[in-house]
Amino acid sequence: GDSVTQMEGPVTLSEEAFLTINCTYTATGYPSLFWYVQYPGEGLQLLLKATKADDKGSNKGFEATYRKETTSFHLEKGSVQVSDSAVYFCALSERNQGGKLIFGQGTELSVKP
Amino acid sequence: DTGVSQNPRHKITKRGQNVTFRCDPISEHNRLYWYRQTLGQGPEFLTYFQNEAQLEKSRLLSDRFSAERPKGSFSTLEIQRTEQGDSAMYLCASSPVGTLNYGYTFGSGTRLTVV
């Protein structure tokens, strides 16, 4: 079945450091890909998305490119801030499956001043 | 519209008791989803509705779990004869049909603790 694998956390960075959180997926079809973020004490929020190969999703300085050849959707940010500390989830959704999301296990990011 | 609302935020119950959670989606959203999230894991799909029809149920949803969405508005998730393994965060989300590309709106969840 479909699955999503993320790099294990926690990831600890200093402010202004470069961030990469790896995400790879297995899918039988041609899914849409998402990154969700969960800030402490809050619900899941959509961070960015991509729906076809080579699409780049971006939001709040974060970017991820849909790489079909490597089945990857790595999250990057050039300069992290303390306020980026959160848990990040990679997810996929196959077409014709009613919008059901399959999530990775999440990667906790902690940014120190 | 204030987004997806879930009640209660927290529920502590004794093993063997029944519990019911409520989700109020964004009013114009046709689809409503339930997920379960345990500590350190990503959310796992349980079930979803399109309007009042329940279109898919996960194998995770045992016979003790039942979900309804009367009149295609709010939804309830009931767990009968709770077990300690049911302790988790239960998340509700909603979306309009045909806007998968934009993702869902999630509620803040109901945290269930079975003691």
Side-chain angles (χ1 to χ4, degrees), chain B:
Chain B
D1 197 339
T2 56
V4 178
S5 175
Q6 291 189 247
N7 288 289
R9 290 295 303 271
H10 304 273
K11 178 71 176 178
I12 299 175
T13 190
K14 291 184 178 179
R15 189 175 53 188
Q17 297 294 305
N18 299 344
V19 295
T20 300
F21 312 140
R22 177 178 170 125
C23 172
D24 287 274
I26 293 173
S27 57
E28 62 267 26
H29 284 184
N30 309 89
R31 285 188 174 160
L32 185 148
Y33 304 82
W34 285 99
Y35 286 80
R36 180 172 66 189
Q37 185 178 16
T38 53
L39 198 61
Q41 299 297 318
E44 296 174 297
F45 170 80
L46 293 178
T47 188
Y48 90 97
F49 294 83
Q50 184 162 312
N51 300 313
E52 66 276 9
Q54 188 174 19
L55 296 186
E56 186 175 348
K57 292 195 296 185
S58 164
R59 288 169 296 184
L60 294 174
L61 215 63
S62 76
D63 291 345
R64 296 185 296 106
F65 288 70
S66 62
E68 295 182 342
R69 193 184 182 196
K71 303 179 183 177
S73 56
F74 71 92
S75 176
T76 58
L77 178 68
E78 181 184 16
I79 308 175
Q80 296 183 327
R81 305 180 303 280
T82 51
E83 301 173 356
Q84 287 189 324
D86 297 331
S87 295
M89 177 75 84
Y90 290 84
L91 299 170
C92 177
S94 69
S95 74
V97 173
T99 59
L100 170 63
N101 291 351
Y102 298 96
Y104 302 163
T105 302
F106 277 90
S108 296
T110 294
R111 182 169 296 284
L112 173 67
T113 302
V114 182
V115 297

Side-chain angles (χ1 to χ4, degrees), chain A residues 28-65:
Chain A
T28 52
Y30 197 165
S32 295
L33 302 174
F34 304 86
W35 277 100
Y36 280 82
V37 59
Q38 190 169 35
Y39 297 104
E42 298 185 17
L44 282 161
Q45 301 174 27
L46 178 65
L47 180 60
L48 53 84
K49 57 153 178 82
T51 59
K52 61 183 187 296
D54 300 325
D55 263 4
K56 178 184 283 188
S58 61
N59 186 25
K60 300 181 181 180
F62 290 90
E63 293 183 339
T65 301

Side-chain angles (χ1 to χ4, degrees), chain A residues 18-112:
Chain A
F18 184 85
L19 168 71
T20 299
I21 299 179
N22 290 339
C23 170
T24 57
Y25 68 90
T26 302
T28 52
Y30 197 165
S32 295
L33 302 174
F34 304 86
W35 277 100
Y36 280 82
V37 59
Q38 190 169 35
Y39 297 104
E42 298 185 17
L44 282 161
Q45 301 174 27
L46 178 65
L47 180 60
L48 53 84
K49 57 153 178 82
T51 59
K52 61 183 187 296
D54 300 325
D55 263 4
K56 178 184 283 188
S58 61
N59 186 25
K60 300 181 181 180
F62 290 90
E63 293 183 339
T65 301
Y66 190 144
R67 299 291 188 198
K68 192 167 187 291
E69 64 277 12
T70 55
T71 61
S72 64
F73 192 55
H74 305 321
L75 182 68
E76 296 181 336
K77 187 175 185 183
S79 175
V80 293
Q81 306 300 312
V82 172
S83 57
D84 294 326
S85 298
V87 182
Y88 292 82
F89 294 93
C90 185
L92 69 80
S93 186
E94 292 270 27
R95 304 177 200 287
N96 303 319
Q97 289 198 7
K100 177 175 67 178
L101 284 169
I102 295 171
F103 286 88
Q105 76 273 28
T107 302
E108 182 181 359
L109 170 66
S110 178
V111 181
K112 306 298 185 186

